[in-house]
Amino acid sequence: MFHGSRKLIAAGAVALSLGLAPAGATAQEFINVLTGGTSGVYYPLGAQLAKIYGEKIEGARTQVQSTKASVENLNLLQQGKGEIGFALGDSVKSAWEGDTEAGFNAKLDKLRGIAAIYPNYIQIVASKESGIKDFADLKGKGLSVGAPKSGTELNARRIFEAMDMSYDDLGQTEYLPFGESVELIKNRQLDATLQSAGLGVASIKDLALSLPVTVVSVPETVAEKLGAPFLSATIPAGTYEGQTEDVPTLAITNILVTHSDVSDEMAYDMTKQLFENLPDMVAAHAAAKAISPENGPKGLPLPLHPGAERYYKEKGLL
């Protein structure tokens, strides 16, 4: 949502800089790409996607919008204020179900899927001296579960439920962003942090270099119990300093979402150009290495857009 004319002028400049319609194109199609904060993963990937669409989709004019990420993006798509947006899988599930606790006042019934893209990993890291090795060991200990109602904290809540536990089982619960959580552990004021992020996230790298840590395992049964969009996953040995073994955990798919008012042709083109230009996406951010057409239609908690569905059928993936 724009506030004031300066944003509108800036948006116009962005749209112009990202490639006008190729010569000979007739109808102008506008694609607003909804991302996240400029320091996250969504923004660089979204900017690259907008560039690809501007260059490769005939008649497309594109713009990138920095937002508060998942929940805001889904609400904007429902209102028709964007054509494609990034969101964390369980936020998409909550939006489709109209979960008010997660920030959705009603079922967002216009949302449609384009593709499952790359996973966020649940990474629980404890100071070695806390003695925590697996999830059940968190009982009576101090844990930061992420900023209130953030994607991370919503993930944390679901995992506790699946383990038949709650925050009441903890000795101390902190609702802090990644960096602040790590500072408390370094100062011996907290035992552990739960972070939903890409592997090798800077905050945990920093912590593992500062003091001996344990990467805490989450049992596979949790993924089975929670179902899509949660998957069993592994944090490979050596991801963090002093981590000598693979550690089982959960991953949650990030999803590219559109809405039902976007034409089948446009949704088809957006899906096709994403997958046909993956090297450019990887150049924008390494997280894109995990994006593949094979995974695109898998484990989505909402219906595919018919245009995206046509692409997967053509490729023999549905």
Side-chain angles (χ1 to χ4, degrees), residues 121-127 130 132 135 138 141-147 152 156 160 170 172 174-186 190-196 201 203-205 207-208 211 213-216 218 235:
Y121 288 76
I122 298 293
Q123 301 172 72
I124 305 170
V125 180
S127 64
S130 71
I132 299 165
F135 200 90
L138 289 167
K141 304 288 187 180
L143 173 72
S144 174
V145 292
T152 289
F160 270 87
L170 296 168
Q172 172 194 359
E174 297 290 348
Y175 296 85
L176 293 170
F178 297 173
E180 289 175 45
S181 308
V182 163
E183 287 310 309
L184 284 186
I185 296 172
K186 284 187 194 173
L190 188 67
D191 298 308
T193 173
L194 182 150
Q195 308 194 1
S196 175
V201 63
S203 49
I204 296 177
K205 277 193 158 163
L207 177 62
L211 79 175
V213 298
T214 303
V215 182
V216 179
V218 180
I235 303 171

Side-chain angles (χ1 to χ4, degrees), residues 231-244:
L231 319 154
S232 290
T234 300
I235 303 171
T239 301
Y240 298 106
E241 187 71 28
Q243 184 200 343
T244 54

Side-chain angles (χ1 to χ4, degrees), residues 29-98:
E29 287 269 17
F30 190 66
I31 304 173
N32 186 23
V33 183
L34 305 169
T35 59
T38 51
S39 62
V41 178
Y42 288 175
Y43 188 82
L45 288 181
Q48 186 67 281
L49 204 53
K51 185 170 181 285
I52 291 164
Y53 289 166
E55 289 169 2
K56 310 273 185 177
I57 298 178
E58 194 169 338
R61 253 183 60 212
T62 59
Q63 172 190 318
V64 187
Q65 189 174 339
S66 172
T67 65
K68 295 191 187 83
S70 300
V71 176
E72 186 181 3
N73 291 351
L74 296 166
N75 282 316
L76 287 171
L77 287 167
Q78 176 73 15
Q79 295 158 22
K81 292 179 178 169
E83 282 60 51
I84 190 166
F86 291 75
L88 198 51
D90 65 328
S91 295
V92 177
K93 186 173 197 275
S94 298
W96 187 250
E97 291 169 355

